[in-house]
């Protein structure tokens, strides 16, 4: 029941990744912000047009200091600084990239989950856990000297063996996710 509910939620989420445009409400808000930013940029005076800066009094030294501070502050800011009036354009391009990445992650997750569920059912039907319990005794007795009655040590060996098998079975999925999906969207720089 839980598997079917999780699958239903995954399919619903996956369908949301098919959107190719941002919501209209967000678009209208971003247009207003862009318009205000452009108006503010037009109204800001530039250093050449600022009145009272003749450069002959003591202000030129202070001006040089503030210019140096501004340059230093601009260098410390993040590289992706959005120009005034370009917020909507930038948001739309990032939204499309985000949707593509989310769709790929969602598809991968649903396939991985389905294969994992089939694998777990197969292990249950063929008696994987009792087999591993017996292997834990054989391995523990042969290599670690664990007696038949030492259930705690046998349990530790059992969990170690099953963890190793689970890691080996999950490794291809993890590698595919990291080196194919993440790299496709520019997140893996290895």
């Amino acid at each position: 029941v839980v598997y079917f509910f999780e699958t239903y939620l995954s399919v619903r989420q996956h369908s949301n990744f098919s959107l190719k445009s941002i919501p209209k409400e967000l678009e209208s808000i971003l247009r207003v912000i862009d318009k205000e930013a452009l108006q503010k940029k037009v109204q800001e005076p530039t250093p050449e047009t600022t009145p009272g800066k003749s450069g002959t009094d003591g202000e030129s030294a202070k001006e040089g200091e503030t210019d140096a501070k501004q340059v230093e502050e601009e260098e410390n800011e993040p590289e992706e600084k959005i120009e005034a009036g370009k917020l909507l354009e930038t948001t739309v391009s990032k939204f499309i990239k985000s949707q593509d990445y989310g769709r790929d992650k969602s598809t991968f997750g649903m396939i991985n989950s389905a294969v994992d569920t089939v694998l777990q059912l197969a292990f249950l039907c063929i008696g994987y856990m009792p087999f591993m319990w017996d292997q834990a005794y054989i391995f523990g007795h042969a290599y670690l000297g664990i007696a038949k009655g030492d259930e705690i040590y046998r349990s530790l060996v059992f969990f170690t063996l099953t963890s190793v098998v689970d890691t080996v079975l999950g490794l291809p999925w993890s590698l595919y996710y990291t080196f194919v999906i993440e790299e496709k969207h520019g997140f893996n720089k290895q």
Side-chain angles (χ1 to χ4, degrees), residues 136-150 153-154 157:
Y137 170 70
I138 293 169
F139 182 83
H141 182 69
Y143 297 106
L144 303 174
I146 297 173
K148 187 168 183 139
D150 290 336
Y153 293 120
R154 187 175 180 182
V157 172

Side-chain angles (χ1 to χ4, degrees), residues 123 126-138 154 158 161-162 165:
F123 281 170
I126 63 171
Y128 170 74
M129 290 299 187
F131 172 75
M132 290 303 285
W133 183 254
D134 292 340
Q135 294 304 311
Y137 170 70
I138 293 169
R154 187 175 180 182
F158 170 77
L161 288 176
T162 55
V165 170

Side-chain angles (χ1 to χ4, degrees), residues 107-174:
T107 302
F108 175 79
M110 287 191 296
I111 292 170
N112 186 9
S113 177
V115 169
D116 189 45
T117 301
V118 169
L119 193 61
Q120 293 299 322
L121 286 173
F123 281 170
L124 183 65
C125 291
I126 63 171
Y128 170 74
M129 290 299 187
F131 172 75
M132 290 303 285
W133 183 254
D134 292 340
Q135 294 304 311
Y137 170 70
I138 293 169
F139 182 83
H141 182 69
Y143 297 106
L144 303 174
I146 297 173
K148 187 168 183 139
D150 290 336
E151 298 293 325
I152 293 175
Y153 293 120
R154 187 175 180 182
S155 297
L156 291 173
V157 172
F158 170 77
F159 286 121
T160 302
L161 288 176
T162 55
S163 295
V164 167
V165 170
D166 288 344
T167 301
V168 168
L169 291 176
L171 193 58
W173 294 99
S174 177

